[in-house]
Amino acid sequence: MSISFIKEQLQKSGIFKQIHDLIDDNNSLSLKKSIGALNSFLLADLSLRQPTVLVISETDEGARFLKSDLDVIIEDKPVILFPSSNKKPYDRQQLKDTSLLVQRSEALQVINDHEHKLVVTSVEAINEKIAPPSALNEVSMLIKKGDEIELEKIKKELVDQGYDPVKFVDEPGEFAVRGGILDVFPYSGEYPLRFEFFGDEVDTIREFDADSQRSIAFLNEARIIPDLSNLPEREKSSFLSYFDEKTLLVTSDQDVVLSKINEFYQKAEQSFLEHDDQDNLTPPDQQYISEHDFQKELSKFKRKLFIGDIGISEHNKNTYTLETKPQPDFHGNFKLLRENITKNSKAGISTVILCDNEGQRERFDELLGEASQDFKYRLVVESLHEGFIYEPAKIAAYTDHQIFNRYHRPKTKRRRFHGGISFKELKDLNRGDFVVHVDYGIGKFMGFKKINVKNTEQEVVVLQYKDDSTLYVNVTSLHKLQKYSGKEGTAPRITKLGSGAWARKKAQTKKKVKDIARELIRLYAKRKAETAHSFSPDNEWQIELEANFEFEETPDQHDAIVAVKEDMESKHPMDRLVCGDVGFGKTEVAVRAAFKAVLDHKQVALLVPTTILAEQHAKTFINRMKQFPVKIEA
């Protein structure tokens, strides 16, 4: 079962085509009582019927949730998010969020390069003026393997674009030159780029990890993108200038949007007047979008769709009402949920429950039980933000996080780390600090040095060993270094290069590790032969407690919970340590294990290091188990 069932039911009702035809006939349409993810399904369908769709959400959070929904619904068309920079007007002390700048620049590049697109943004994101479309080709640099280009020319161009020269690149907007190597962290892509030159010829291009300096992928060409939203000494324009008159503009009530635009612009004017150095600041009319600017840009769009229930404004009088109902409030009560599903079934309405993950699907499967003629439901492992009921299409789409009043967040991409010393750790090292090279042993960090290798200047890490021996480590081999950690206040013995001492020490360590492993195997074999209490499998109460968890489980947290419960259900003695930083969800692991033990008529004692922590945990346990007959005392 996939989310396509919901799409098919909505399409069969003919509502999508009807709305599309109304937009074509009237050019402007105000849509009322369109609730929850029904808007996402509608926009997905419109994006297939229109060459370009631009959606302006009232808030940046709303734009992110919509983007997350559309990514689930749409299979073959990219959804572009242009987020807010989160910058306050003329606030010089505010730290810039480079991840947002990367997203904004990448979005502008994709918008400019693709003829057909679906773009989601917010009023907050379009308040700032940005580089016009004509500037994109001027400022971006496309460099191909084998190109003849002077390194000094690239350096000058990067500085002109606002890039900062540094020793090692660590975040977007930085570049570093070490002999014939140019590292650039552009405002696009997940990783920085490394260009190796042979004279003036680009010899190799690769992506690499900024922390470990290890190569990720080799490329034939790469485009260097600056921060397109903040190019120096260039005339700026509205974000809407990236779209032509054929674009379908979708937003909430126009008066609401104009009010938010005007509110931000007034704050910008006030901040500008409060600054003492106004002569050195760009005036608000050149930096931000005014209500007049926005209305002027809106006039070019021939087709507009307004979604909201604020009221009919003078800008959009053609209206159509969708009798959509919001998802009911169940507050985690499965009795209410069963009654609602039964009511829907008798009315011929299909109930689809969208589960954020497979674990939730399995819980619902067990808690709801088998479907019948008067109790029909479908479980789908997909994540949408808000459910809805649309009776003309005979569909009720519910989300599991709303059923349990759990916070829902859009999915985010996680970065990988490849091991070795990170660049941040390397920057924090002082001369004389101890480091370990996997091949040569313990030495002292003595800083950086430029050396010539085959007539090419390269920067290396300098390590000092016994008898003043020196080892040069190329930055591409930083993954072989680790910061030394040992007993505090005790200096380690420095390794002598070429003596074989380090190789012997590694061999001895391997032997000791094998001895420890052998002893552990013997110990665990003995434990395996013993018998312990085997706890019962999860019952309905256990599943209900876990389903009511107000946050989405992290992958590591889920694995830890599964492992602990498997240990408890085993007939062998349990021996497991769960480790995690503060706020990573260890308490929830303990809650579920304790509840499982209590359901088997066992007592549970929770030991913590302080009285305050004991009180905090008692409150957590009481809150999580308040609907069950469990006695908890601190």
Side-chain angles (χ1 to χ4, degrees), residues 192-322:
L193 302 168
R194 173 163 293 160
F195 302 88
E196 294 188 37
F197 287 78
F198 186 77
D200 288 337
E201 181 183 343
V202 180
D203 191 34
T204 61
I205 306 173
R206 70 182 77 181
E207 290 180 321
F208 69 97
D209 185 273
D211 286 330
S212 68
Q213 297 289 309
R214 298 184 74 175
S215 298
I216 303 297
F218 285 86
L219 310 173
N220 290 321
E221 63 180 43
R223 186 179 292 276
I224 301 177
I225 303 291
D227 174 12
L228 296 174
S229 64
N230 193 30
L231 291 175
E233 299 180 3
R234 288 183 183 272
E235 184 178 349
K236 297 181 179 181
S237 66
S238 163
F239 174 71
L240 299 185
S241 65
Y242 280 77
F243 303 88
D244 59 27
E245 61 179 18
K246 297 177 183 178
T247 299
L248 170 62
L249 177 68
V250 183
T251 185
S252 61
D253 187 273
Q254 186 169 326
D255 288 340
V256 175
V257 175
L258 289 172
S259 174
K260 287 180 173 288
I261 292 283
N262 186 51
E263 181 184 353
F264 186 90
Y265 190 77
Q266 287 181 349
K267 287 181 180 178
E269 285 185 316
Q270 185 65 32
S271 298
F272 179 78
L273 294 174
E274 291 174 355
H275 270 271
D276 297 329
D277 56 342
Q278 294 178 12
D279 293 339
N280 297 321
L281 297 177
T282 306
D285 62 332
Q286 298 178 32
Q287 190 80 2
Y288 303 102
I289 302 295
S290 67
E291 184 179 349
H292 174 73
D293 292 332
F294 188 72
Q295 283 184 310
K296 185 178 178 182
E297 288 282 2
L298 281 181
S299 63
K300 77 177 180 184
F301 295 102
K302 303 301 182 186
R303 292 186 177 89
K304 304 185 188 75
L305 175 63
F306 301 95
I307 302 176
D309 295 310
I310 301 298
I312 303 173
S313 74
E314 62 181 37
H315 303 288
N316 36 287
K317 295 181 179 179
N318 298 308
T319 65
Y320 184 87
T321 302
L322 282 171

Side-chain angles (χ1 to χ4, degrees), residues 35 47 154 211 240 301 625:
I35 295 171
S47 72
I154 299 178
D211 286 330
L240 299 185
F301 295 102
M625 301 181 192

Side-chain angles (χ1 to χ4, degrees), residues 355-368:
C355 304
D356 289 339
N357 52 60
E358 183 62 32
Q360 284 291 79
R361 190 202 67 76
E362 292 174 356
R363 290 176 192 134
F364 272 95
D365 201 19
E366 292 192 40
L367 289 170
L368 291 175

